[in-house]
């Protein structure tokens, strides 16, 4: 981490300034931000930024290799496999914990990855608000690869809109206005001009989809998909009430739902490198390691940390009836590198890639960061703490 930038920020930080930051952040939004936003951004040192980028490149090499689709066929549950899958995902997110290696160096370690969108709109608003309120040095940026606000949004438009007009592309989630991430939906709408709709708003005629606007039916050419099937998996009758989006429909998915599974925890055992924790499918683990305190057990088909077993025992492993659907992953120990006024805070950095049609490979574009004092990153582990929550990393231009 960048100690000089941290010292400068902390020296000028006040609770009143943070409260003013939250007011500015929510000003003009359709609804206030529904998740905790941290008191501070993260400041990356050049060396750590370069390690993050190198780690990401190594993972992209695996995703770009011939046969990746065949390798990940088993990752897609039959119940949620959709037809008309495209050649590549349009969004990739890589989550890295900030850790310390055996030699005492600060290094990134991959936690999870997903072929699914993240807060591509909100993060720009968040970064700009931190910069304005806390007077962040103009030589620092939230972007990679030389991008700025204008070129970033050009790339985002190219990815999401493609050749279509904004009213031909919809951002869709199961119940969009009520999602905790809805702030991102409406900021994206502001930047791109696309409508935000819920699953129940979809109208079907033949194999075509429509939505209603101002009393008129509008044809949907592209669906910027924000729906995670786990959110509707518990409702067995969901598609009796809404359009069954698993049909062969004449619509482009940005990104196709199958990629949510292909690029996920399922991919971890196929990744190798200095910044990748050792990971194996549980049914391939023989014998059971004697140092289970150094491992974490994760179900493949869950999200938001559900079902993860942190303190693993041999009984936990022996009691699992579908070991092919679990991974045993070397435990990643976060280092509390972000200095708050009352001590260190752990950090996680998410690299966000965009891959529009026509590009040979994804572009590392922007980032998301999360701060934690709890046992794990996430809201449920950080109740009643300060200097935790969602944030963004700044780095030297």
């Amino acid at each position: 981490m960048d100690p000089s930038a941290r010292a400068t920020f902390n020296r000028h930080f006040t609770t009143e300034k943070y409260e003013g930051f939250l007011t500015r952040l929510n000003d003009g939004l359709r609804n206030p931000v529904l998740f905790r936003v941290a008191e501070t951004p993260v400041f990356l040192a050049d060396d750590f930024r370069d390690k993050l980028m190198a780690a990401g490149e190594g993972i992209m090499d695996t995703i770009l290799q011939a046969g990746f689709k065949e390798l990940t066929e088993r990752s897609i549950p039959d119940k949620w496999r959709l037809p008309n899958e495209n050649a590549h995902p349009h969004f990739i997110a890589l989550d890295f914990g900030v850790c310390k290696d055996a030699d005492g160096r600060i290094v990134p370690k991959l936690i999870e990855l997903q072929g699914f969108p993240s807060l591509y709109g909100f993060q720009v608003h968040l970064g700009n608000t931190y910069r304005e309120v806390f007077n962040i040095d103009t030589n620092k940026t939230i972007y990679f690869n030389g991008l700025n606000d204008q070129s970033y949004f050009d790339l985002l438009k190219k990815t999401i809109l493609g050749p279509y007009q904004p009213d031909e592309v919809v951002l869709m989630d199961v119940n969009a206005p009520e999602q905790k991430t809805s702030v991102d939906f409406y900021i994206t709408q502001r930047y791109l001009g696309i409508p935000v709709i819920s699953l129940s708003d979809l109208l079907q005629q033949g194999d075509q989809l429509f939505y209603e606007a101002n009393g008129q039916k509008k044809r949907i050419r592209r669906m910027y998909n924000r729906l995670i099937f786990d959110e509707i998996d518990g409702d067995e009758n969901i598609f009796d009430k809404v359009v069954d989006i698993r049909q062969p429909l004449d619509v482009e998915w940005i990104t196709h739902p199958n990629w949510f599974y292909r690029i996920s925890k399922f991919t971890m055992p196929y990744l190798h490198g200095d910044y990748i924790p050792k990971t194996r499918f549980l049914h391939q683990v023989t014998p059971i390691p004697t140092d289970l305190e150094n491992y974490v057990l994760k179900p493949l088909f869950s999200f938001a940390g559900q079902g993860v077993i942190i303190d693993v025992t041999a009984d936990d492993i022996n009691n699992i009836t579908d070991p092919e659907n679990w991974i045993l992953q070397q435990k990643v120990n976060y280092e509390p590198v972000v200095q708050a006024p009352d001590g260190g805070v752990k950090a996680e950095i998410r690299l966000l890639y965009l891959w529009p049609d026509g590009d040979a490979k994804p572009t590392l574009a922007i980032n998301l960061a999360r701060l934690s004092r709890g046992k794990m990153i996430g809201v449920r582990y950080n109740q009643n703490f300060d200097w935790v929550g969602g944030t963004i990393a700044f780095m030297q231009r």
Side-chain angles (χ1 to χ4, degrees):
M1 302 296 104
D2 184 337
S4 175
R6 170 55 53 208
T8 299
F9 183 92
N10 285 15
R11 188 164 58 249
H12 294 100
F13 177 84
T14 65
T15 301
E16 292 74 24
K17 192 177 287 188
Y18 173 61
E19 291 170 352
F21 160 78
L22 293 178
T23 299
R24 178 82 64 88
L25 188 69
N26 285 307
D27 187 37
L29 298 181
R30 176 186 173 114
N31 295 307
V33 179
L34 297 177
F35 49 87
R36 193 179 199 284
V37 177
E39 282 81 346
T40 179
V42 176
F43 299 103
L44 301 182
D46 293 352
D47 177 64
F48 187 82
R49 175 204 59 203
D50 294 345
K51 287 184 172 74
L52 274 174
M53 295 178 72
E57 282 297 308
I59 294 166
M60 292 307 121
D61 288 343
T62 298
I63 293 170
L64 287 163
Q65 73 180 0
F68 182 75
K69 276 195 172 185
E70 288 74 16
L71 198 67
T72 55
E73 274 299 295
R74 189 176 70 83
S75 69
I76 308 169
D78 291 338
K79 178 180 180 180
W80 300 119
R81 183 185 295 271
L82 270 65
N84 304 323
E85 183 182 325
N86 56 344
H88 64 77
H90 297 86
F91 310 95
I92 300 173
L94 309 178
D95 289 341
F96 290 92
V98 182
C99 307
K100 184 181 284 187
D101 68 12
D103 297 320
R105 295 170 299 194
I106 301 301
V107 297
K109 286 286 186 179
L110 183 68
I111 305 299
E112 287 190 357
L113 64 168
Q114 56 183 359
F116 192 77
S118 189
L119 306 183
Y120 285 90
F122 177 72
Q123 290 304 104
V124 178
H125 177 60
L126 178 62
N128 287 340
T129 307
Y130 272 124
R131 186 186 299 281
E132 293 165 10
V133 175
F134 292 102
N135 196 28
I136 305 296
D137 190 336
T138 55
N139 288 325
K140 294 195 177 296
T141 180
I142 58 176
Y143 299 110
F144 296 90
N145 288 307
L147 294 172
N148 55 34
D149 282 3
Q150 182 61 55
S151 56
Y152 171 76
F153 280 115
D154 288 344
L155 182 61
L156 191 65
K157 286 180 181 178
K158 182 181 178 183
T159 304
I160 295 175
L161 296 182
Y164 300 106
Q165 295 302 309
D167 64 354
E168 296 178 305
V169 181
V170 298
L171 187 159
M172 188 275 293
D173 202 341
V174 58
N175 195 348
E178 296 184 12
Q179 294 290 330
K180 277 196 172 182
T181 52
S182 65
V183 61
D184 177 72
F185 301 170
Y186 294 105
I187 289 176
T188 302
Q189 180 183 54
R190 180 195 302 171
Y191 287 131
L192 304 188
I194 61 177
V196 175
I197 69 169
S198 298
L199 178 60
S200 59
D201 295 324
L202 293 175
L203 307 171
Q204 182 178 359
Q205 291 183 359
D207 64 353
Q208 297 180 352
L209 292 180
F210 299 81
Y211 69 98
E212 192 171 292
N214 300 319
Q216 292 185 324
K217 281 185 180 179
K218 295 273 192 176
R219 172 82 186 277
I220 300 172
R221 303 285 183 175
R222 270 191 170 187
M223 194 112 70
Y224 177 28
N225 180 48
R226 302 299 292 265
L227 185 151
I228 296 174
F229 285 135
D230 297 61
E231 295 186 51
I232 59 175
D233 194 33
D235 187 349
E236 295 181 0
N237 303 313
I238 182 70
F239 293 122
D240 295 335
K241 297 173 279 189
V242 298
V243 171
D244 189 343
I245 53 177
R246 300 170 299 177
Q247 303 171 70
L249 297 165
D250 185 13
V251 67
E252 295 181 20
W253 291 89
I254 308 296
T255 194
H256 194 284
N258 290 357
W259 287 104
F260 174 80
Y261 298 102
R262 292 190 185 279
I263 299 177
S264 65
K265 291 188 289 287
F266 188 91
T267 319
M268 292 283 291
Y270 301 109
L271 302 174
H272 306 282
D274 292 341
Y275 308 123
I276 312 294
K278 183 178 180 181
T279 307
R280 290 178 288 172
F281 293 111
L282 188 57
H283 70 288
Q284 296 176 346
V285 175
T286 53
I288 295 174
T290 56
D291 60 336
L292 284 176
E293 68 275 8
N294 294 320
Y295 291 85
V296 60
L297 197 56
K298 296 182 177 181
L300 290 177
F301 304 111
S302 72
F303 75 113
Q306 295 178 0
V308 173
I309 300 174
I310 301 173
D311 301 313
V312 186
T313 67
D315 284 343
D316 290 326
I317 293 175
N318 291 327
N319 289 335
I320 289 173
T321 57
D322 58 341
E324 70 280 2
N325 293 326
W326 290 73
I327 55 172
L328 188 67
Q329 180 178 314
Q330 194 172 39
K331 191 173 286 186
V332 171
N333 294 311
Y334 292 75
E335 185 71 13
V337 294
V338 175
Q339 293 303 311
D342 60 347
V345 179
K346 294 174 281 189
E348 188 172 284
I349 310 295
R350 175 175 293 177
L351 301 184
L352 297 176
Y353 294 76
L354 291 168
W355 194 351
D357 291 337
D359 284 13
K361 63 179 185 177
T363 296
L364 175 57
I366 196 169
N367 76 88
L368 180 154
R370 293 189 291 178
L371 300 182
S372 173
R373 296 180 189 257
K375 199 167 187 178
M376 288 178 66
I377 300 284
V379 174
R380 71 186 68 137
Y381 303 101
N382 284 280
Q383 300 289 342
N384 304 317
F385 290 131
D386 60 5
W387 286 63
V388 298
T391 183
I392 197 164
F394 283 87
M395 66 205 93
Q396 200 68 20
R397 290 188 189 275

